[in-house]
Amino acid sequence: MASRAPAIVVVAALIMAAAHLASGSGYYQAAAPFTTSDWQDGSATFYGDASGLGADFGGACGYGANDIQSLYSTSTAALSTPLFASGSGCGQCYELRCVNSRWCNPGSPSVVVTGTNLCPPNWNLPSDNGGWCNPPRQHFDMAPPSFLILAPRVAGIVPVQFRRVPCQRSGGIRFYVQGNYYWLLLYVMNVGGSGDVGDVAVKRAGEPDCSYVPASRNWGITYQVFAALGNAKGLVVRMTCYSSPRKTIVVDDAIPAWWSTGLSYQGSNNFY
């Protein structure tokens, strides 16, 4: 009887190739989607301009004023140290609801916010009286319009329940490019799914996968590559999210040939 092993191998290879092609530009590795977590206890305050817009709402992560306005609007929060997680929490999405307070708005409506900043600890104040962001507190310092969905301004601080939720984004990953000929700095924004990024690698378009150069986190949402990549070719960015399940995607249609620093580029792929 003839062996059927070669046929099985061929069929498996065809299935894998079809999956890659069917996914369109940028797909790299399938994984289960990010799912909503259980509710946890925390607290919330508000800060910054009453409009909820401006660079103040994205500083520690690296979002500029235009990024906040165009991508996240007023649905943002600065995260206490445990949630900020040395920058890995940037871009993550949380649903919050006010609980156990006379200040909670009727019906305790919830709001979804993106972590875009750090709420630093204040060790001069006790954690239960002004040092709201002192570890190990899980605290959200929110843009005022989002806080007002939970409670009136006079409340000041309210207890909340929160949970991680999948980030719903419009369009693909956005990159803001900085650096020079020998050093590339990418700001990675508009991340769907878990909202966060753990690993990044970059290569020139058209080159084999062995050409990927690993990037390291500089701070917040910024990743740096120490390599002379040039701009005669477009750039392909491979990313793996930080949170489990760790899905990997490739964005190969965002940064074109003759790209320039100081500009933003958006692809079609995302962690949907």
Side-chain angles (χ1 to χ4, degrees):
M1 181 181 291
S3 172
R4 299 179 63 184
I8 294 174
V9 172
V10 170
V11 171
L14 289 172
I15 292 173
M16 292 177 66
H20 178 82
L21 292 173
S23 65
S25 173
Y27 182 84
Y28 188 76
Q29 180 185 13
F34 181 79
T35 57
T36 300
S37 69
D38 294 332
W39 290 102
Q40 300 181 60
D41 294 325
S43 53
T45 50
F46 59 91
Y47 78 109
D49 189 85
S51 69
L53 299 174
D56 289 347
F57 295 95
C61 286
Y63 301 105
N66 290 336
D67 306 321
I68 294 295
Q69 183 164 355
S70 63
L71 297 176
Y72 309 110
S73 187
T74 60
S75 301
T76 65
L79 308 176
S80 62
T81 300
L83 299 172
F84 186 76
S86 300
S88 295
C90 294
Q92 293 178 350
C93 296
Y94 293 89
E95 182 181 11
L96 285 75
R97 62 188 182 191
C98 179
V99 295
N100 303 322
S101 171
R102 66 188 180 95
W103 295 114
C104 295
N105 285 332
S108 292
S110 68
V111 62
V112 174
V113 297
T114 297
T116 57
N117 205 354
L118 169 67
C119 183
N122 184 349
W123 299 116
N124 294 318
L125 296 174
S127 298
D128 60 353
N129 188 20
W132 310 126
C133 290
N134 294 350
R137 290 184 67 104
Q138 299 189 106
H139 185 81
F140 299 83
D141 203 14
M142 305 172 68
S146 287
F147 181 87
L148 293 177
I149 295 174
L150 304 181
R153 174 181 285 267
V154 68
I157 179 172
V158 293
V160 299
Q161 288 183 328
F162 71 91
R163 61 182 178 179
R164 287 278 305 277
V165 295
C167 296
Q168 306 297 323
R169 305 299 188 210
S170 176
I173 304 289
R174 179 188 293 184
F175 304 99
Y176 177 65
V177 182
Q178 283 287 16
N180 53 47
Y181 185 82
Y182 299 99
W183 175 67
L184 179 72
L185 186 67
L186 292 179
Y187 293 67
V188 184
M189 299 174 281
N190 201 48
V191 180
S194 65
D196 50 33
V197 177
D199 299 314
V200 175
V202 182
K203 72 180 182 73
R204 299 182 187 92
E207 296 191 352
D209 284 358
C210 61
S211 302
Y212 274 112
V213 181
S216 60
R217 187 192 301 274
N218 186 303
W219 57 284
I221 59 168
T222 68
Y223 291 82
Q224 59 188 357
V225 178
F226 291 94
L229 294 170
N231 67 347
K233 294 183 177 181
L235 299 179
V236 179
V237 184
R238 184 178 67 193
M239 299 183 298
T240 301
C241 56
Y242 173 77
S243 299
S244 296
R246 302 201 69 201
K247 184 177 181 180
T248 298
I249 63 170
V250 172
V251 182
D252 58 8
D253 61 352
I255 306 176
W258 309 113
W259 52 268
S260 178
T261 58
L263 297 178
S264 293
Y265 301 93
Q266 190 162 7
S268 61
N269 205 15
N270 211 323
F271 291 102
Y272 300 121

